Structure formats: C-alpha cells, structure tokens
Amino acid sequence: MKISVITAAYNSEATVGEAIASVAAQTYPDVEHLVVEGQSDDGTFDAIKRAAHDRMRLISEPDKGIYDALNKGVRNATGDVLGFIHSDDFLAHDGVLSWIATAFEDPAIEAVFSDLDYVAQADTSRVIRHWSTGAFHPRRLKYGWMPAHPTLYLRREVYERCGDYDINLGIAADYDFILRYFSQATDKSVYIPEVFYKMRVGGVSNRNWAKIRQKMEEDMLAIRRNRVGGLHTLAFKNLSKVGQFLVRPQRS
C-alpha cells in the first residue's frame, strides 16, 4: 500500500526542510512525497532542493493559495492513501506512517487520524497546546468535533467521491471538507490516541482579528452548507480549543 504525503509550500524557506526531512526519515518503505511549491519570493525552492530525497517529487508553479496547492497534490498523487504535512510542521517520529499503514490494513477502514501538538516557533520541543481528537461519532459533528486536518489520512476513493477543497474558502476549506466527508461517512474510521504531528504556533487563521473573524465566518458557512448544526456548533468548536491549552508544558 502506497502512502502519498502532500506538502504545499510558499515562502517557508526556514522550515520546509524540516518538514521534508521528517518524511524522508519514515521507516515505512512505500511512501511518495509530493511538494507543491507556489514559486515563492524567498529561498523556499532552493531549500526544497537541498532537502530533497529519493521518494520526493516537486511541482513548482504558481497557484491560487494553499487549498489550490493541496488540490493539485491530490490530483497528482499516486498513492492508495493520502495525507498532508504543511511546510511549517513535521511528523512527530519516524514510525508515524508505519502506524497509519497498519491501521489501513483493514479494508473497511477509510479514514485514520490522531493527535497533534502545537509547539513553539523558536523551540519545537516545547508544547504550547495539545489537540486530542477522540473517536468519531456522527452526533459529535454538531458539537464542533473535527480531527486535526494534518493528522487525517484518507483512502484515495474519498477524494474521488467528495471532490476538491473549496478554494473560495481561504481559511476553512479543510473544515468544510471534513464536514463534507464525515457527515456522509459510512465506512469505519480509526482514531489513534498518539501524537503523530507537530505544528508550529502562529498559523494564518489566528494571525490577527481580521483573520479570526474570517475563520469564524467561513466555519459558519461550512456548518450550514453541510447541515451539521448551527451557531451552537461554532460556539462548541471554539470553546473546545480552551481545553487544548490546559496541558502541562513538556519537552518532546
């Protein structure tokens, strides 16, 4: 079973090499890493070339933002299972994809997801926030449940059935896609209660009040579009983040 990991990269010269290295280090052998680079203004392209490994393919051309790049990666991927690693982030250890592949050995499993740590920009061993997803149940969607998108691995057939990320949503297209899939999911999913992904704090959705407001508006659009709830869903989704900070800082 081949696993395709997709990375969208734009102006991430300082961090993209670590993202690529964390895929190159995976012990699972049948891995394809697609890096979709949007012709950055900095040294991202050169950083990618320096970090390149024999399981990596590079697509470098203009795009219409991160979700357009992710769609491009999905279309070009050849794996049976698809997942993502963002250019600011990295996989938690070299056995992550082996764990995921083992879960997908059951042909009834269509989705696998896990936990995520938000880490400090300057010291990625310091955990700022911990996202413990919990298992999926349809009723949980109405209360703001979602897996951390970068931890979500799906069979190729899911994308063929559910379609692309909506590039008209600049921040919440991942939430919209997750609701689109899980509100219709009939096959089984597996939640692995382990941290498989490390994300640096300071993402675009929380950069300033304008971005936070945009995120909330797009989240509400996704909730209504996929008919999973209403204002209470958005409220619970945002309130759930409070508990993610109630974790003792640790060294990873």
Side-chain angles (χ1 to χ4, degrees):
M1 176 177 54
K2 180 187 285 188
I3 298 177
S4 293
V5 181
I6 298 161
T7 297
Y10 183 75
N11 286 356
S12 52
E13 176 183 6
T15 57
V16 69
E18 187 174 12
I20 294 171
S22 75
V23 179
Q26 294 299 301
T27 58
Y28 185 71
D30 201 358
V31 176
E32 169 188 63
H33 189 190
L34 281 82
V35 179
V36 185
E37 194 275 328
Q39 295 196 337
S40 304
D41 298 325
D42 64 358
T44 297
F45 180 84
D46 290 335
I48 293 168
K49 297 293 281 186
R50 287 194 299 271
H53 54 93
D54 59 4
R55 297 187 285 182
M56 192 195 94
R57 286 198 287 135
L58 173 61
I59 300 170
S60 182
E61 59 189 28
D63 57 52
K64 299 175 183 177
I66 184 170
Y67 295 114
D68 184 37
L70 296 185
N71 286 336
K72 196 178 298 183
V74 169
R75 288 193 295 269
N76 283 275
T78 61
D80 307 291
V81 170
L82 279 61
F84 302 99
I85 176 169
H86 297 318
S87 60
D88 291 337
D89 310 327
F90 54 96
L91 297 174
H93 56 75
D94 63 8
V96 167
L97 296 184
S98 292
W99 277 59
I100 291 167
T102 298
F104 276 110
E105 288 177 357
D106 180 348
I109 300 302
E110 196 171 64
V112 174
F113 50 91
S114 60
D115 294 343
L116 176 151
D117 279 345
Y118 290 86
V119 297
Q121 286 270 359
D123 178 6
T124 58
S125 70
R126 186 163 69 89
V127 177
I128 305 297
R129 176 179 160 196
H130 174 70
W131 187 336
S132 182
T133 301
F136 167 66
H137 189 282
R139 67 172 176 267
R140 297 190 71 189
L141 293 177
K142 294 184 179 181
Y143 296 94
W145 178 91
M146 66 174 291
H149 179 245
T151 75
L152 179 62
Y153 284 74
L154 297 166
R155 292 195 188 272
R156 165 183 296 283
E157 292 79 7
V158 172
Y159 290 96
E160 294 171 351
R161 185 170 74 242
C162 293
D164 291 345
Y165 292 94
D166 183 354
I167 64 172
N168 294 311
L169 299 178
I171 296 177
D174 52 348
Y175 182 46
D176 174 63
F177 182 89
I178 284 168
L179 293 182
R180 194 188 322 156
Y181 167 64
F182 280 101
S183 63
Q184 304 171 19
T186 55
D187 287 310
K188 293 192 296 182
S189 63
V190 169
Y191 163 59
I192 301 174
E194 299 283 343
V195 173
F196 281 174
Y197 196 92
K198 302 282 188 173
M199 174 179 284
R200 288 177 173 84
V201 295
V204 65
S205 64
N206 299 309
R207 192 162 293 165
N208 53 49
W209 171 245
K211 291 296 184 183
I212 293 171
R213 180 175 177 178
Q214 179 185 351
K215 179 70 162 60
M216 292 176 66
E217 290 174 349
E218 291 186 8
D219 280 351
M220 195 66 238
L221 175 61
I223 289 165
R224 287 175 172 155
R225 172 189 287 177
N226 293 284
R227 300 179 180 179
V228 298
L231 284 171
H232 70 283
T233 306
L234 181 62
F236 277 113
K237 181 176 185 290
N238 289 326
L239 285 171
S240 70
K241 297 176 183 178
V242 175
Q244 296 173 7
F245 289 94
L246 302 178
V247 57
R248 177 180 295 179
Q250 55 187 280
R251 317 301 286 191
S252 59

